Amino acid sequence: MESIGAIITAYRKKAHMSQFELAALLQEEGIDVTSKTISAWETGRNEISARIFLHLCRILEIPDCLEEYFGHNPNNPLALLNAAGKEKALSYIDLLLYPQSYVKEPHITPYTAASSQKDGIKKLRLYDARVSAGSGDFLDSDYYTTIEVPEEEARGADFAVTISGDSMEPLFRDHDMVYVHRQETLEDGEIGIFSLNNMAYLKKLKDCADGTFLISLNPNYAPIPVDPNRDSFRIFGKVCRTR
C-alpha cells in the first residue's frame, strides 16, 4: 500500500512541477493552500482531505487513485491487463471516440472557489493538524485549507479541525470535522479545543474544587489533570458543531 504523500510526490515530480506551482494550481480552483501545506502532505506530517486529493488526482493526471494507493483496483478492467493489453484497450477506446457516438457528455461540478463571496456563506480555516494527535501550535501555522460553509451551519464558528481517535465517542468520532468558536475561556462542562503541554485535544472541561481536568466522553479514557503551576495550558475555543 502506497502512502498518499508518496503518490503526490511521485506524480508531481513526473509532471516536473514544484510544490509552489502545485499550490498555485490548487489556489486557482479556490483551494487556499501554500507550498508548506503541500510539503506537509508529502512528508505525512498532515493528512489531506478526500475532496482535495481528488482535485490533485485530476491536476497531476493520476489515472486511478485506488490502484495507486492499494496497488490494485478490481473495479477497473484495465488494471487486470499488462502494459501491452492496456495499449490495445486504449487504442480501441480511441476508435470509439471517433465519431463521437460513444462519447460521454461532460458533467463537471467545480470546487467552490474560496475567493468568491456569496450571501449566506462563511469561510473557515480547516487546519490540517488533527486533535488530539496534533501539536498545540496549529493555529499559528500555515497548514490549513479554506472551506466554505453555510452561515446557518457555521453557527458562529471561527475555524474547523478534524478529530483523531475515539476518546470522545459516541458524540464525536474519529475523522469527524468540528466547527469551533474562538474564545479563551470555557464554563465547567463545556466541550472545547485545548492545548496542554503543546498537544491539542478535544475534551470536556471539568473545573471544580478538586482541580481542572480534561474529560473524555468515552469511559475507557481517564480524566487528564491540568496543573496550572506546571503545565502549559491554553483554551482555543468552544466546539459549536460537528459534521
Side-chain angles (χ1 to χ4, degrees):
M1 183 181 293
E2 191 72 90
S3 72
I4 297 294
I7 295 171
I8 296 172
T9 302
Y11 275 87
R12 178 180 59 79
K13 291 182 177 180
K14 181 180 178 181
H16 304 288
M17 189 183 302
S18 69
Q19 293 176 341
F20 180 83
E21 290 170 331
L22 181 54
L25 290 174
L26 287 169
Q27 290 169 7
E28 289 179 2
E29 300 199 5
I31 303 173
D32 188 9
V33 297
T34 66
S35 59
K36 290 183 179 180
T37 306
I38 305 296
S39 175
W41 291 338
E42 293 187 349
T43 58
R45 294 198 307 273
N46 290 316
E47 292 190 347
I48 182 173
S49 70
R51 180 167 52 178
I52 296 177
F53 179 61
L54 291 176
H55 275 265
L56 282 173
C57 286
R58 183 169 58 80
I59 292 172
L60 297 175
E61 299 183 355
I62 301 174
D64 190 338
C65 57
L66 290 180
E67 184 177 6
E68 290 293 337
Y69 185 72
F70 293 106
H72 178 63
N73 180 5
N75 296 317
N76 181 3
L78 291 179
L80 303 175
L81 304 175
N82 59 22
K86 288 181 180 178
E87 184 177 350
K88 285 183 176 294
L90 292 174
S91 65
Y92 183 66
I93 290 175
D94 286 338
L95 292 176
L96 294 176
L97 295 177
Y98 303 99
Q100 298 189 359
S101 303
Y102 300 97
V103 177
K104 182 179 179 180
E105 290 290 333
H107 179 69
I108 300 175
T109 302
Y111 191 97
T112 303
S115 59
S116 63
Q117 185 65 43
K118 306 179 184 68
D119 293 337
I121 294 295
K122 184 169 185 177
K123 297 177 184 177
L124 297 178
R125 288 186 177 184
L126 172 60
Y127 286 93
D128 294 347
R130 296 177 62 198
V131 298
S132 58
S135 69
D137 60 356
F138 69 91
L139 287 184
D140 299 322
S141 77
D142 292 328
Y143 303 126
Y144 65 85
T145 302
T146 300
I147 61 174
E148 290 187 345
V149 298
E151 284 277 5
E152 182 178 353
E153 182 179 315
R155 294 183 183 176
D158 298 301
F159 65 92
V161 292
T162 306
I163 300 169
S164 172
D166 63 352
S167 66
M168 292 297 283
E169 289 186 352
L171 188 58
F172 304 96
R173 301 186 182 278
D174 188 31
H175 290 85
D176 277 355
M177 182 174 70
V178 297
Y179 299 148
V180 186
H181 174 65
R182 192 190 298 263
Q183 58 189 68
E184 297 181 355
T185 61
L186 287 178
E187 298 293 330
D188 176 47
E190 291 185 324
I191 295 176
I193 305 296
F194 307 89
S195 172
L196 179 62
N197 297 325
N198 294 320
M199 291 297 294
Y201 296 94
L202 166 72
K203 298 293 180 187
K204 182 171 73 171
L205 179 67
K206 181 179 180 181
D207 194 8
C208 60
D210 294 332
T212 301
F213 301 87
L214 299 182
I215 306 296
S216 299
L217 300 183
N218 187 335
N220 294 326
Y221 292 82
I224 302 174
V226 179
D227 186 339
N229 298 318
R230 183 188 62 195
D231 294 326
S232 172
F233 182 62
R234 177 183 173 189
I235 297 174
F236 288 144
K238 178 181 177 181
V239 172
C240 51
R241 184 183 173 94
T242 183
R243 65 173 295 189

